[in-house]
């Protein structure tokens, strides 16, 4: 801060005493013994009071212009007490002038660079906001300047009286040093800028005495110095009280305010930069202890704001402006929003990068009341996305299956393949025996009950060297689904009809399946070696089903064969190959494999085993396949004779090991690129199966009215079954068969129909549901058998499917309630009514038909209209109670709770009998 000077009544400055100089001297690096010359500033403190109740003490300075025209005595008096000071030499003045010039150039370049950076960074909105902020700060600063000026004037008036006394004491010391200071003042006085032209450069004031660092560190921070108001710019001899800025840029000459001129010719005042707001009320105290070389030389240690701080503030302002612009929807980002079939409100808002409240508000406008955790359908979500201006992309869960079928094959890549022939017909017409004769095997001998109960696939090589794939289907009526699967994957259908039996129901069903599959039919009339065989009868019966053979002028081939005598087998193979050549069967072996699951089972040692028929491509060991709802990596590929092969081409039936579960029979299988895709498809299909099962269970319960009706009528009876079979097709056939045996009073409920041996979990499920376990060609484990004995679970083993149907039918009939039927007894005519005390009216009747029994049910008919129905309470003949009265006899009848009897009424007697179900 500047030294404190006093002001006398004449307006002349008088130096204070040495003690005051030492106490109020500046903290500087100048030598302590150097005297200060030409002091033109008086310092003091002003207390400012604010409207919010606080006050602040501000250091103020009174600057007085130098009087160069004054004499040596006046100059000495103005600089009283600085007799020992040394003036700057010409070299020092020139060096200082050059330093000031470089400083001004550097300041101008820095200001230009900052302005250019400001123009590049700040947008139009930022410039407008900054201009408004600057205007506000300038207005506030001007108001503060006016208030501080008024306060400083009052403080100066109070200090004037004290300054007068100090001035008188200092006047004597000034007079003694006047002569000595006159010569020194003349040499050290700087040039007047108004009387000496220096090429536009103003010389700085003489170097002040350097104050000790400890003395400067304890000085209070400099107050802010606002610009002087226009009204306070009179003659240079007048003293002006003003505030100093907190970031002074130069020495005393730069800090000295220039007089302002008013009028049209006056140059415009340079714009003032608003001072930066203080942080946490501390002003510049944070950096008050740090100084630089320039501040140490010039005695000014006020700190300015660093360039890095200015850049950081501008970056913050730019980021804030960008954020505000985005929030005000000046820049809208259009996104691609993926919407599934159902989606929660929170997830939809997240995908649109919008607030959940805005999405809920949009839904409320549409009339949909939903919270953030609730789900909405895809159509509603699409409307919301379009409302927000985004692009929607609808997806479905089933999209995971898109592309697994592969692409269409080019005609150039197709190669001839073996025909797939399905052998169909009625049970016990010799289908398996015919295949055994073709394959030279004996499969029929190992079948239970002498009937085929599994679907099989085989491949043979004809004498010509061409291969033929045969699919053997069961003939029992329960295996309709197996026959349908065989017809759907076949190229040619061989219809086997016994010559001694003719066309049977399953033969007709096989014809329908073949026509539905649009497959050509070859009729094989079997058992022609048996006595009584009549092939022409078979041909005649086939005409009723629109099958016209070639012998009768049609286009259907027929062959007379005998599987037992091996008659006509070569002709049958020739017909099959001829038909396949006409069909021109081709496939592309050089692609990923596709096909269908013919049968599947759970093997104890090998796990899930699936018998598949490759239709396209080549299946190799190590491929990742998806079969229905199961997937896995192929560990082994086996042919129809159990031999391992490395690959399987089109039309080749093989068994595949390595699946995670037992796939459903008839399900398609396909090879995919990786296990992640296979797992995704499998999980989707399993989820669909569970949803379908849950929906069927809900549908089985019926509506609420039906449930209430069953509750009022009593608990509905049911037969619960748990089916375990050796193959998937058998389990499916048994489940379909037993469900057809349901009665209107007794329902048949299949808890589970699966393949594999009976385990402990099956026993526990049957125990919880009070079910019977149906084991078809499977057995229970030792632990499961012991648990079933302890829990009392009934396990029934079967090897023939019609035995299962018979037992389940007996179970259903056993739970059907017996029926009550009314049995007519006879008629009696009322001929006279007697009124007996304590008994009531008694009807004297004559039995006209049948008989009347005591306790039987009666109906009272009057003019052939039933007017009463009840029970007979008494039956007497004369005065004796009797059990019954036959036709032609008279008796007395008394009705329970009814006395409206008249002569001529007819009494109808009957009784209820129980008929077992």
């Amino acid at each position: 801060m500047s030294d404190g000077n006093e002001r006398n009544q004449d307006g002349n400055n008088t130096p204070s005493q040495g003690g005051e100089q030492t106490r109020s001297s500046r903290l500087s690096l100048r030598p302590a013994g150097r005297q200060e010359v030409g002091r033109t500033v008086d310092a003091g403190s002003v207390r400012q009071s604010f409207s919010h109740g606080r006050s602040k003490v501000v250091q103020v300075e009174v600057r007085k212009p130098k009087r160069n025209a004054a004499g040596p005595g006046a100059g000495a008096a103005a600089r009283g007490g600085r007799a020992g000071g040394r003036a700057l030499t010409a070299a020092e003045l020139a060096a200082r002038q050059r330093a000031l010039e470089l400083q001004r150039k550097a300041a101008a370049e820095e200001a230009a660079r900052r302005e250019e950076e400001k123009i590049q960074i700040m947008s139009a909105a930022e410039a407008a906001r900054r201009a408004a902020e600057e205007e506000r700060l300038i207005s506030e600063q001007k108001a503060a300047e006016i208030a501080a000026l008024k306060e400083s004037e009052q403080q100066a008036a109070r200090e004037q009286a004290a300054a007068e006394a100090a001035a008188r004491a200092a006047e004597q010391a000034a007079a003694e040093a006047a002569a000595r200071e006159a010569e020194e003042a003349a040499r050290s006085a700087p040039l007047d800028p108004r009387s000496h032209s220096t090429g536009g450069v103003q010389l700085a004031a003489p170097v002040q005495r350097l104050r000790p660092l400890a003395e400067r560190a304890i000085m209070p921070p400099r107050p802010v110095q606002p610009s002087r108001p226009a009204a306070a710019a009179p003659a240079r001899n007048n003293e002006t009280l003003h505030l100093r800025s907190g970031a002074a840029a130069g020495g005393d000459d730069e800090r000295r305010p220039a007089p302002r001129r008013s009028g049209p010719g006056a140059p415009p005042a340079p714009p003032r930069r608003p001072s930066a707001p203080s942080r946490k009320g501390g002003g510049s105290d944070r950096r008050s202890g740090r100084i630089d070389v320039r501040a140490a030389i010039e005695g000014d240690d006020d700190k300015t704001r660093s360039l890095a701080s200015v850049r950081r503030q501008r970056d913050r302002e730019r980021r804030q402006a960008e954020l505000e612009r985005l929030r005000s929807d000046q820049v809208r980002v259009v996104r691609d929003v993926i919407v599934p079939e159902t989606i929660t409100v929170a997830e939809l808002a997240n995908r649109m990068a919008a607030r959940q409240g805005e999405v809920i508000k949009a839904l409320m406008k549409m009339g949909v009341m939903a919270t953030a955790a609730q789900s909405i359908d895809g159509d509603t979500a699409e409307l919301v996305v379009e409302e927000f201006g985004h692009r929607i992309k609808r997806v479905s869960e089933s999209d995971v299956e898109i592309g697994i079928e592969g692409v269409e094959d080019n005609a150039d890549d197709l190669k001839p393949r073996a025909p797939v022939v399905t052998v169909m017909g009625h049970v016990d017409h010799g289908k398996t025996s015919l295949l055994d004769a073709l394959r030279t095997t004996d499969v029929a001998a190992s079948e239970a009950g002498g009937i085929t109960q599994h679907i099989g696939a085989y491949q043979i090589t004809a004498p010509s060297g061409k291969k033929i794939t045969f699919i053997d289907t069961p003939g029992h009526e329960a295996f309709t689904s197996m026959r349908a699967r065989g017809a759907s994957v076949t190229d040619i259908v061989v219809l086997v009809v016994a010559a001694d039996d003719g066309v049977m129901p399953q033969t007709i069903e096989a014809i329908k399946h073949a026509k539905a599959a649009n497959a050509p039919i070859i009729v094989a009339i079997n058992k022609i070696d048996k006595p009584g065989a009549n092939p022409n009868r078979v041909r005649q019966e086939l005409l009723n089903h629109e099958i016209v053979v070639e012998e009768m002028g049609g286009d259907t081939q027929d062959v007379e064969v005998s599987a037992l005598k091996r008659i006509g087998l070569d002709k049958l193979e020739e017909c099959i190959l001829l038909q396949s050549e006409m069909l021109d069967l081709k496939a592309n072996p050089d692609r990923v494999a596709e096909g269908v699951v013919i049968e599947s089972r759970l093997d104890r040692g090998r796990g899930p085993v699936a018998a598949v028929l490759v239709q396209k491509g080549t299946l190799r060991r190590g491929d990742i396949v998806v079969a229905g709802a199961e997937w896995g990596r192929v560990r082994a590929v086996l042919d129809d004779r159990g031999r391992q092969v490395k690959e399987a081409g089109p039309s080749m039936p093989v068994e595949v090991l390595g699946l995670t579960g037992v796939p459903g029979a008839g399900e398609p299988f396909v090879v995919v690129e990786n296990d992640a895709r296979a797992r995704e498809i499998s999980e989707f299909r399993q989820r669909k199966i569970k949803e379908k099962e849950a929906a069927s269970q809900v549908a089985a319960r019926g509506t609420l009215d039906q449930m209430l009706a069953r509750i009022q009528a009593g608990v509905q009876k049911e037969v619960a079954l748990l089916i375990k079979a050796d193959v998937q097709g058998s389990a499916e056939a048994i489940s379909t068969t037993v469900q057809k045996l349901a009665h209107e009073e007794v329902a048949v409920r299949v808890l589970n129909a699966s393949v594999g041996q009976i385990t402990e979990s099956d026993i526990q499920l049957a125990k919880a549901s009070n079910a019977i376990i149906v084991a078809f060609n499977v057995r229970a484990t030792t632990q499961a058998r012991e648990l079933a004995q302890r829990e009392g679970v009934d396990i029934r083993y079967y090897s023939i499917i019609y035995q299962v149907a018979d037992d389940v039918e007996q179970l259903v009939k056993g739970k059907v309630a017996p029926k009550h039927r009314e049995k007519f007894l006879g008629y009696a005519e009322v001929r006279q009514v007697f009124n007996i005390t304590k008994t009531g009216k008694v009807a004297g009747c004559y039995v006209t038909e049948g008989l009347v029994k005591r306790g039987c049910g009666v109906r009272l008919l009057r003019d052939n209209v039933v007017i009463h129905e009840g029970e007979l309470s008494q039956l007497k003949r004369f005065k004796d109670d009797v059990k019954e009265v036959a036709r032609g006899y008279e008796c007395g009848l008394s009705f329970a709770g009814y006395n409206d009897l008249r002569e001529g009424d007819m009494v109808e007697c009957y009784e209820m009998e129980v008929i077992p179900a």
Side-chain angles (χ1 to χ4, degrees), residues 252-263:
D252 296 336
D253 291 341
E254 292 180 359
R255 290 195 303 268
R256 183 181 298 112
R260 295 188 180 180
R261 293 180 295 170
S262 59

Side-chain angles (χ1 to χ4, degrees), residues 435-478:
L435 284 177
D436 286 342
L438 292 172
R439 299 176 58 233
T440 317
T441 56
D442 194 8
V443 177
S446 61
E447 292 180 340
I451 63 173
T452 301
Q453 300 178 110
H454 305 89
I455 186 170
Y458 317 99
Q459 191 174 58
I460 67 170
T461 302
S464 61
K466 296 183 178 180
K467 294 185 178 181
I468 302 175
T469 300
F470 285 99
I471 297 179
D472 186 16
T473 60
H476 194 273
E477 61 178 351

Side-chain angles (χ1 to χ4, degrees), residues 829-840:
E829 180 183 358
V830 179
R831 294 189 173 182
Q832 190 173 357
V833 179
F834 303 95
N835 193 357
I836 300 176
T837 307
K838 296 182 182 181
T839 302

Side-chain angles (χ1 to χ4, degrees), residues 376-657:
I376 58 177
D377 58 287
D379 297 335
T380 305
E382 182 176 359
L383 295 177
V384 174
V385 172
E386 292 177 352
E387 179 73 18
F388 279 78
H390 299 294
R391 293 185 296 268
I392 187 170
K393 183 179 180 182
R394 294 291 297 271
V395 296
S396 176
E397 291 185 355
S398 59
D399 292 347
V400 298
E401 296 182 339
I402 296 177
I404 64 172
E405 296 86 2
V407 297
E408 292 293 334
D409 296 322
N410 295 327
D412 299 336
D413 299 333
L414 300 180
K415 298 179 181 179
R417 64 173 178 86
V420 179
V421 181
T422 301
V423 181
M424 305 177 71
H426 192 69
V427 62
D428 200 25
H429 276 200
K431 299 181 297 298
T432 306
S433 300
L434 184 60
L435 284 177
D436 286 342
L438 292 172
R439 299 176 58 233
T440 317
T441 56
D442 194 8
V443 177
S446 61
E447 292 180 340
I451 63 173
T452 301
Q453 300 178 110
H454 305 89
I455 186 170
Y458 317 99
Q459 191 174 58
I460 67 170
T461 302
S464 61
K466 296 183 178 180
K467 294 185 178 181
I468 302 175
T469 300
F470 285 99
I471 297 179
D472 186 16
T473 60
H476 194 273
E477 61 178 351
F479 298 100
T480 301
S481 59
M482 286 190 183
R483 288 189 290 273
R485 285 199 301 273
S488 63
V489 300
T490 189
D491 299 321
I492 303 171
V493 174
V494 174
L495 184 63
V496 179
V497 185
D500 61 341
D501 201 6
V503 177
M504 299 299 290
Q506 269 62 57
T507 307
I508 300 172
E509 181 185 328
I511 294 173
K512 293 180 179 179
H513 286 310
K515 289 183 177 180
N518 197 19
I521 299 176
I522 298 176
V523 179
I525 303 176
N526 196 13
K527 300 183 181 181
I528 61 171
D529 59 322
K530 292 186 65 174
N534 189 1
N536 292 328
R537 172 192 163 197
V538 174
R539 296 185 181 98
Q540 291 289 340
E541 292 178 353
L542 290 175
L543 290 175
N544 299 329
H545 304 286
E546 300 178 356
I547 302 296
V548 183
V549 298
E550 291 178 346
E551 289 187 2
M552 304 185 71
D555 56 355
T556 302
Q557 302 181 69
D558 66 314
V559 182
E560 296 181 3
V561 296
S562 173
L564 186 61
K565 301 293 183 180
R566 302 180 64 85
I567 300 173
L569 298 181
D570 53 349
K571 188 177 180 181
L572 178 61
E573 293 179 359
E574 183 181 352
C575 292
I576 293 173
L577 294 176
L578 177 61
Q579 187 68 48
S580 65
E581 289 178 1
M582 294 174 60
L583 295 175
D584 191 19
L585 303 174
K586 292 183 179 181
N588 181 14
D590 301 325
R591 56 167 294 171
V592 293
E594 294 182 18
V596 64
V597 178
I598 299 175
E599 192 60 275
S600 60
R601 67 181 185 274
L602 184 62
D603 193 278
R604 183 173 183 179
R606 298 184 296 176
V609 179
V612 301
L613 176 65
V614 182
Q615 294 175 323
K616 298 179 182 179
T618 302
L619 179 65
R620 297 177 176 85
R621 186 186 308 169
D623 289 344
I624 300 174
V625 300
V626 177
E630 306 296 337
W631 73 281
R633 186 182 296 273
V634 178
R635 293 191 291 108
V637 180
L638 292 82
D639 62 3
D640 56 342
R641 297 181 183 270
R643 298 171 298 188
Q644 287 199 10
V645 295
K646 294 183 178 179
E647 59 183 23
S651 301
M652 184 174 180
V654 291
E655 288 186 347
V656 175
L657 280 67

Side-chain angles (χ1 to χ4, degrees), residues 332-336 389-391:
R332 182 180 295 275
V333 179
V334 180
R335 293 179 172 84
D336 292 329
H390 299 294
R391 293 185 296 268

Side-chain angles (χ1 to χ4, degrees), residues 896-911:
Y898 189 77
N899 292 322
D900 186 13
L901 303 176
R902 297 181 185 179
E903 295 180 0
D905 292 344
M906 293 295 294
V907 179
E908 180 182 355
C909 301
Y910 64 92
E911 65 179 358

Side-chain angles (χ1 to χ4, degrees), residues 343 672 889:
I343 187 173
V672 295
Y889 290 93

Side-chain angles (χ1 to χ4, degrees), residues 43 63 150 168 265 311 323 326-327 374 391 424 456 496 507 547 729 760 766 826 841 879 896:
R63 291 189 176 182
K150 292 181 180 180
R168 296 190 190 98
R311 289 178 178 175
L323 182 60
L326 288 175
R327 289 182 177 177
Q374 290 181 348
R391 293 185 296 268
M424 305 177 71
V496 179
T507 307
I547 302 296
E760 298 180 31
K841 291 184 179 182
K879 294 183 179 180

